[in-house]
Amino acid sequence: MKRIAPIDIAGGILVVAFLALLPMFAASNYLTGVLTVCVIYGIWASSWDFMSGLTGRENFGHSLFIGAGAYTAGFLSSIWSTNPWVSLPLGVVIAIAFSLLVGFPTLRLRGPYFALAMLSASAILQRLCLIFWEYTGGEEGIYGLDPLMKNPLHYYWFVLAILAVTVIALTLLARSHWGLLLRAIRGDEATCQAAGINVTFYKIVSLMISAGFAGLGGALYAHYQLQVSPPLFSVVVSITVIIMVYVGGIGSIYGAAVAAILLTLLTEMLRGFGEYRLWIYTLTLMLILFFLPNGLIAPLWRRLTERLR
């Protein structure tokens, strides 16, 4: 296993400490709420990056796992009146079940079939939520979820801790023998198969891990918003997460998480520009992706640490 450099550990501690202290300087809970959403997007982005970033098998339906975790929390808390804390592990389990259901037959295929299958699966689930509106609430979704914590700041710290654990766990896996195999699969899948590596097994288990963390983030988001609705399954959510990963630096895990936080904050900061908000946000993304094809966050951090060493 490739060890994490002390400077990387120190940098991670400083970022988490800064994010933990930032809401304490705000006069209202608005910043705390925005940061909570930012951190949840960080969980979604890092979970996508682990499987798709390392193997090169793009998942255009990551919202399937996010929505699965969120709706699990919605059904358990609002409809079945279950203890809200139960929805976190069950959201992970249901998201993993969906990853097996869709990934097992499609990850064996070559080309874009996996990406298209995931995209189709998320679209189908979104449509089913509208068709079976008697159970899912239709377009309005499910309301009345119980909060995990009544204090918004405490909940933000809890979600931030989950993000830190997610990034650490996925980074350790990415730097282990497992991560080396996933990168080898991305480089030359045929050679890996010829060497006797069970490529399908590694891809499916990696998708399960990715889905589990995404489902956990979906459940956390549901208990923050106290409602869930069909747009959580939309392709917009998946594409937004993918863009965050590419801005952060694909395959870096930590870069995806930091980029998700910064880009979500950017959307809030641009609210004052009104109708020009989307134009500015899109132009910023285009400039980053065009001039920095390898991403912004991870390459920038690597250059900085090389100078400090």
Side-chain angles (χ1 to χ4, degrees), residues 30-288:
Y30 173 75
L31 179 60
T32 304
V34 171
L35 288 174
T36 301
V37 176
C38 292
V39 171
I40 292 174
Y41 266 98
I43 297 174
W44 295 343
S46 57
S47 64
W48 187 94
D49 194 26
F50 175 74
M51 191 273 170
S52 297
L54 296 183
T55 65
R57 301 302 299 269
E58 286 83 1
N59 176 7
F60 286 175
H62 203 54
S63 58
L64 170 66
F65 310 134
I66 295 171
Y71 265 88
T72 299
F75 281 115
L76 289 174
S77 180
S78 181
I79 296 178
W80 296 327
S81 301
T82 309
N83 188 316
W85 288 98
V86 177
S87 63
L88 298 186
L90 284 183
V92 173
V93 171
I94 297 300
I96 291 175
F98 273 104
S99 71
L100 283 172
L101 182 65
V102 180
F104 189 78
T106 57
L107 280 172
R108 299 171 180 270
L109 305 175
R110 297 182 181 273
Y113 296 105
F114 169 68
L116 294 175
M118 293 302 304
L119 178 64
S120 301
S122 60
I124 290 171
L125 261 294
Q126 184 179 14
R127 188 61 183 172
L128 288 176
C129 287
L130 298 176
I131 294 174
F132 296 100
W133 59 269
E134 301 95 335
Y135 308 101
T136 63
E139 294 182 356
E140 295 182 357
I142 301 174
Y143 290 85
L145 278 73
D146 295 324
L148 292 178
M149 299 178 183
K150 294 184 178 180
N151 189 312
L153 182 58
H154 293 170
Y155 188 67
Y156 166 67
W157 284 338
F158 172 70
V159 176
L160 181 61
I162 295 293
L163 173 63
V165 172
T166 299
V167 172
I168 292 171
L170 295 181
T171 300
L172 291 175
L173 280 173
R175 291 171 178 258
S176 68
H177 179 68
W178 186 284
L180 180 63
L181 285 174
L182 296 182
R183 289 187 174 90
I185 291 171
R186 179 178 183 175
D188 194 335
E189 185 173 331
T191 302
C192 291
Q193 288 180 328
I197 299 174
N198 192 339
V199 172
T200 302
F201 169 77
Y202 282 98
K203 289 191 293 187
I204 289 177
V205 176
S206 299
L207 181 63
M208 292 169 61
I209 296 172
S210 173
F213 282 104
L216 176 60
L220 292 170
Y221 184 80
H223 282 292
Y224 168 70
Q225 295 287 357
L226 304 183
Q227 66 93 24
V228 292
S229 57
L232 281 172
F233 287 109
S234 68
V235 65
V236 175
V237 174
S238 296
I239 297 302
T240 300
V241 169
I242 294 172
I243 290 174
M244 291 173 173
V245 174
Y246 274 90
V247 171
I250 192 166
S252 63
I253 310 296
Y254 69 89
V258 175
I261 294 172
L262 293 179
L263 289 179
T264 308
L265 276 175
L266 178 62
T267 59
E268 291 298 322
M269 293 170 60
L270 293 176
R271 285 189 179 275
F273 290 91
E275 60 183 5
Y276 299 104
R277 171 190 175 192
L278 183 60
W279 286 90
I280 298 173
Y281 181 76
T282 304
L283 179 61
T284 302
L285 291 179
M286 290 176 63
L287 291 174
I288 293 175

